[in-house]
Amino acid sequence: MSKERLYLYDTTLRDGQQTQGVQFSTSDKLRITAELDALGVDYIEGGWPGANPTDSAFFDQVDHTKARMTAFGMTKRAGRSAENDDVLAAVLNAGTPCVCLVGKSHDFHVREALGISLDENVENIRASIAHCIAQGREALFDAEHFFDGYKANPDYALECLRAAQDAGARWIVLCDTNGGTLPSEVHQIVTEVIAAGIPGDHLGIHTHNDTETAVACSLAAVDAGVRQIQGTLNGLGERCGNANLLSIIPTLVLKEPYRSQLETGISDEALEGVTRISRMLDEILNRVPQKQLAYVGSSAFAHKAGLHASAILKNPSTYEHIEPALVGNRRVIPMSNQAGQSNLRKRLSEAGIQIEAGDPALARILEVVKNREAEGYSYDTAQASFELLAREEIGQLPHFFEVKRYRVTVERRKNKHNKMVSLSEAVVVLKVDGEKKLSVSESMDETGSDRGPVNALSKALAKDLGQYQELIEDMRLVDFKVRITQGGTEAVTRVIIDSEDGQGRRWSTVGVSANIVDASFEALLDAVRWKLVRDTA
Amino acid sequence: MSKERLYLYDTTLRDGQQTQGVQFSTSDKLRITAELDALGVDYIEGGWPGANPTDSAFFDQVDHTKARMTAFGMTKRAGRSAENDDVLAAVLNAGTPCVCLVGKSHDFHVREALGISLDENVENIRASIAHCIAQGREALFDAEHFFDGYKANPDYALECLRAAQDAGARWIVLCDTNGGTLPSEVHQIVTEVIAAGIPGDHLGIHTHNDTETAVACSLAAVDAGVRQIQGTLNGLGERCGNANLLSIIPTLVLKEPYRSQLETGISDEALEGVTRISRMLDEILNRVPQKQLAYVGSSAFAHKAGLHASAILKNPSTYEHIEPALVGNRRVIPMSNQAGQSNLRKRLSEAGIQIEAGDPALARILEVVKNREAEGYSYDTAQASFELLAREEIGQLPHFFEVKRYRVTVERRKNKHNKMVSLSEAVVVLKVDGEKKLSVSESMDETGSDRGPVNALSKALAKDLGQYQELIEDMRLVDFKVRITQGGTEAVTRVIIDSEDGQGRRWSTVGVSANIVDASFEALLDAVRWKLVRDTA
């Protein structure tokens, strides 16, 4: 039996940008486009040409893609021809092979939001789609509020779809714009639409997550016969977001009945990229990745319950619905539970530290980790600090130098131009090879801007390490993250520092204190010590 | 037609605690219990008595609840009687009216994880449930891996359910333990289970979110006849989490067909508490609330698209599936878009600032907000800083005092007991009523612990404000949040400070800088200025 083709339509760059706090730059959009194209989606909706400078610049700059590049716009306004509608013209001028036009299909909205007659709206849909076809484009009609419209007035909602169909639209997309429709209703209504004569292989589904069922609504529509799914990466989108393509894609590719019956443009190899793509998007948006995301979250295959974790070690399929590597993700067994010791040995061996099974040091290390984590440390991310802690416990941590004291001063006052400016100064006193070293640095960067006390401290610490100095010359701080791990006035700060060196190594260290400068210093110190351990080994 | 009763079973305190990084204290558990009981859930699963000290202490300390308090455990092990199983005894010893026992229903797991015969497992289920009933308890059987088990060996899976049913279990809970089952399969299998003779009003559903369909799977099970739903607050739980009760409850109470056909224990009034309960849980866990949560997220009714925002101002039902107040949430129209001005006037008027429509100050304020937000400020939360900014623009901000300079020193060195200790000292120089005031404070709290540089700065700033001093005496800093808003070495820090006063007012202010101490000082300064504006008005 040959498989039916199911098409994937990504609208991260258009509807995804409606997320509160999200504003892509043109270069962000180009980078996301390249990732989507490599993933294998069929359509990329790039934005609304003419609506803002970023979207217009994007369509000017984007290279040819395998995916069909699509410009979004709206059906022409009443009282003018499609040819004379400047908004529609701007959309067509982007020169994309596909054009997706949103229009009304709910009688209430035609009257309330547009204030035109029901017939005028139908004519606007027909004429706009016909105009796109006449220009040689593939046309999609986004039927806004379709499900609410169908429930209120099914005849009119269907009339709007037929106007687009008759005018030659390749796809008619059923939109649950307000996100309130449940999967069972979507299945029922799509079944009725197909029975009314719009074939499923010309129907798309566009859902929102306002009842936390956008993914299920998309699948319900496919079950009923729809053959195009619209969604966004990580479920970005207005309000509660759009349907999350990174949850839908693995299900379509890996699970029955979809795997046997339907074919998408996503190869098994491309599927292994979804976890990375999810993190890449968070990185662009400077968001903390959500750990619990289906398939791609860092906790998606994390087993905490003791019984689960020990069963997993026997046979992963006991508590995993798929193999994590299929989506480029990995299994996590926290060290703090019963299955911890064998997992700990594995992690230490990855760091080049061999400990025999049953060595009492294993229990000691687990105990220290547990106590530190209760104080606010987190070793899931700070692998380098974890390694130092383990080496300390087993007596394999050389004491390269000793910190005798440090002092940081932050001062804010008027400069000679009568402008308030800040400057930080740090003094670090170390003992290296029996010799006392005093180093002082300030927080100014090359441009003369103040980078704050942690910057000054970092420079002073790395200024004179005696015989070790040359080993740390190629090291630099690349990221700094801070989190308050206890709220209220007893706030405790956790600092995570990422460092990099000339050999392309990158490592993370952690510090915790009620004093944010102390927490930072602790993480900086670990960063230097890890580098020395590696380079003197 | 009388409505059928649908029961809600919360497992936040047991399965929710399997979330990576979540560890409730006994007092956290007691607080969550009180909230769940006020909300009106039917069952509260409090933990596994005997499995850890926190759970045991919880069952000792918890007061009587309207909801049926439930202890969780597992069916007895093979080779001993139910009466002689110490694990089961510990569960029953908690003395709860209900007991929920998990057991295997998937033949693969009986062989692989338990290593016993299929018949022994059936007998373990029967004997364990019978023992609970004999002790006068209401018994629930959690059929672990039921859906996978049914797909592999339906006869055996059903035999396990019947053993529990025949032994007198009030509820048989169908668990999708690995979270891989899709809603359509859940509907199909539940339909078959009911046809096989287990009545729907004795069936529960327990799903996980590994394909982002846990909520939809729960609803599909209800559609097929199940009458108990298990889930957690905010969807806490192992891996991708459990079904989110705070998404399911509003759908059941507000939406058809559930509203007409089913009755839950949740009143319309209690429903208005769900947004607050969601935030309360995040506060306990010190997590940043997820903005995009269905119904309860702070973005759930946020309208960013210009067309949407202006339609919303005409009629909210154009782009909202429910009225936000029904779930205790509120509409957000970001100021940065077309609909911004009327929304801005509304927000200013809430702060007691009246500006006429069309006043050019409105556009100026919007411009400043937009520029500041691009730098990293966030005025959604920091309403007090927003108010100061607006007052400044319209010339209604009195200049109570001037900051001439400040200096903070953080020093870490050995004390006389040869232990490394830190101490911060802050000097703040102000001009109040033409008079120069120098204040100095240090970071030690009452217990002698160092609270860091921001603490010292906060105390020095509030030490001598001349004629205004008595106005700020009742003010205190209650929370401090910090976020890096740009990653990498150009890191910019945003600090949000929450303050409180003796009149019970609570307000939030924001500061942004590459220098974390500067960012904190800016937020502290705004906190004091807002208090003075309010108290001198």
Side-chain angles (χ1 to χ4, degrees), chain A residues 395-409:
Chain A
Q396 291 186 15
L397 184 64
H399 284 190
F400 303 102
F401 59 87
E402 189 190 351
V403 177
K404 304 299 287 181
R405 62 181 176 87
Y406 74 76
R407 185 182 71 240
V408 190
T409 307

Side-chain angles (χ1 to χ4, degrees), chain B residues 445-462:
Chain B
D445 67 13
E446 310 77 44
T447 69
S449 305
D450 168 42
R451 305 303 314 167
V454 178
N455 176 282
L457 204 47
S458 156
K459 288 192 280 190
L461 174 62

Side-chain angles (χ1 to χ4, degrees), chain B residues 330 332-333 335 343-353 365 369 373 377-391 481 495-499 506-511 526-527 530-531 533-534:
Chain B
R330 65 189 192 90
V332 176
I333 298 182
M335 288 180 297
N343 187 53
L344 173 61
R345 285 183 60 227
K346 185 163 163 285
R347 195 165 165 193
L348 290 171
S349 124
E350 284 166 9
I353 307 171
I365 294 171
V369 166
E373 291 195 336
Y377 289 81
S378 168
Y379 293 102
D380 283 350
T381 35
Q383 168 76 24
S385 287
F386 161 73
E387 187 183 327
L388 295 172
L389 174 163
R391 286 187 180 276
K481 301 177 203 100
V495 169
I496 303 257
I497 282 177
D498 294 349
S499 305
R506 191 170 174 146
W507 63 102
S508 301
T509 52
V510 61
D526 268 10
W530 186 88
K531 168 76 170 158
V533 165
R534 284 296 163 112

Side-chain angles (χ1 to χ4, degrees), chain B residues 57-120:
Chain B
F58 168 76
F59 285 107
D60 282 348
Q61 292 175 35
V62 68
D63 284 335
H64 177 75
T65 50
K66 291 195 306 286
R68 297 180 76 77
M69 183 55 63
T70 308
F72 181 86
M74 65 177 178
T75 53
K76 79 171 186 71
R77 286 158 292 173
R80 71 194 74 185
S81 69
E83 290 73 11
N84 287 324
D85 188 295
D86 54 338
V87 176
L88 185 51
V91 175
L92 287 162
N93 284 343
T96 55
C98 294
V99 173
C100 181
L101 299 182
V102 65
K104 306 288 183 196
S105 62
H106 187 179
D107 55 1
F108 165 73
H109 280 265
V110 175
R111 285 191 299 259
E112 188 78 16
L114 297 183
I116 60 174
S117 78
L118 296 185
D119 287 344
E120 278 175 302

Side-chain angles (χ1 to χ4, degrees), chain A residues 5 8 35-42 66-67 264-267 270:
Chain A
R5 186 69 161 81
L8 295 166
E35 294 283 355
L36 287 169
D37 208 30
L39 175 61
V41 302
D42 300 290
K66 291 194 305 284
T264 68
I266 315 290
S267 67

